[in-house]
Amino acid sequence: MRRRTIEIEIIQSAAGMQRMAEQIRLRGETIAFVPTMGYLHDGHLSLMHEARRLGDRVVLSIFVNPAQFGPNEDLSKYPRDLERDLALAEKAGVDVVFTPAEKDLYPDGFETFVTQTRLPDHLCGLSRPGHFRGVMTVVTKLFHIVKPHYAIFGQKDFQQLAVIRRMTRDLNFDIDIIGCPTVREAGGLAMSSRNKYLSEIQRQSALSLYRALEDASRRVSEGETDPQAVIGSASATIEAAADTAIDYIRVCDPGTLEDLSAIDRPVLMALAVRVGATRLIDNMMLTPPD
Ligand code: AMP
């Protein structure tokens, strides 16, 4: 049997990626783009499958973006495994993997950032100051380098998706932003590259996040309208699990991310919890009856 040759293209320089994107566009083909920080899992793969469905060419970027990590966060120990990622990307039908070096995206003297005035002042933006500035800056740069027609993001990072949608609209990027549902492990834990940090016992504790969201969803579907009651019960579920510390649990408007005083329409429940030293996030829409 003949061995399949690797057909995936790996590009490291921003200029090289721009040339490739230009060639694809000149051929009249569309580009679907999936930005990631690598250490790929089934959540990332679902975005690649959506990209494969949407575009003629699929570009995946793998870049652990220092600008979105705070000084005491896990930048230096963020999990990486490029060889494994390339094999998974190829299997998922990715055409081009863009893996820039840090110096290429942030050359000496870099001083230009993209900010937003309201959406980052909620949820993760409060506990991670500067995080969304880093995300918006790198996504803007990647958009200019990869020149996509479609860009695909996960709803697991709900606030990130909201911020990027708003930025794309506000700054007139000619790109369709696509949101994909959260992919979960068997017990409901949202897939994340950071799940690698969890011990077996912590993994069990981490299931409390999904249990709390599911329970909130059930309560609201049965008529509960008080956000504080729903938040209180979710807190109790998570606090009962070993080694957990709640960063935030919020019930908010999915458009503005502002807190709500009554659940009288579909709302977003979003939470961030430390399990041991690992910060996990998750969210779910809660829909009242009728
Ligand atoms: P990351 O590599 O963590 O920066 O994530 C890259 C992209 O994958 C982002 O758009 C995330 O929202 C998305 N993503 C991460 N985890 C999941 C998941 N469990 N399900 C769906 N999308 C995800």
Side-chain angles (χ1 to χ4, degrees), residues 34-44 46-47 63 68 78 152-158 160 180-184 189-194:
V34 180
T36 77
M37 300 206 296
Y39 209 73
L40 302 178
H41 51 67
D42 284 353
H44 297 118
S46 72
L47 308 187
F63 180 63
Q68 70 188 66
Y78 196 84
I152 298 103
F153 295 87
Q155 287 163 1
K156 189 209 152 216
D157 299 272
F158 190 99
Q160 169 171 281
C180 288
T182 301
V183 176
R184 300 177 179 281
L189 176 63
M191 293 210 175
S192 163
S193 306
R194 288 189 168 99

Side-chain angles (χ1 to χ4, degrees), residues 65-102:
N65 172 35
Q68 70 188 66
F69 286 78
N72 299 315
E73 295 184 352
D74 57 343
L75 172 63
S76 62
K77 66 180 178 102
Y78 196 84
R80 298 160 208 241
D81 189 344
L82 187 58
E83 283 309 309
R84 182 175 159 276
D85 286 352
L86 293 176
L88 288 171
E90 203 206 2
K91 234 172 104 189
V94 168
D95 298 296
V96 180
V97 181
F98 177 49
T99 57
E102 195 179 317

Side-chain angles (χ1 to χ4, degrees), residues 257-279:
L257 306 182
E258 278 166 13
D259 285 343
L260 292 171
S261 53
I263 304 173
D264 50 8
R265 60 203 135 109
V267 298
L268 177 76
M269 183 174 219
L271 47 80
V273 176
R274 251 172 226 292
V275 180
T278 307
R279 187 174 178 280

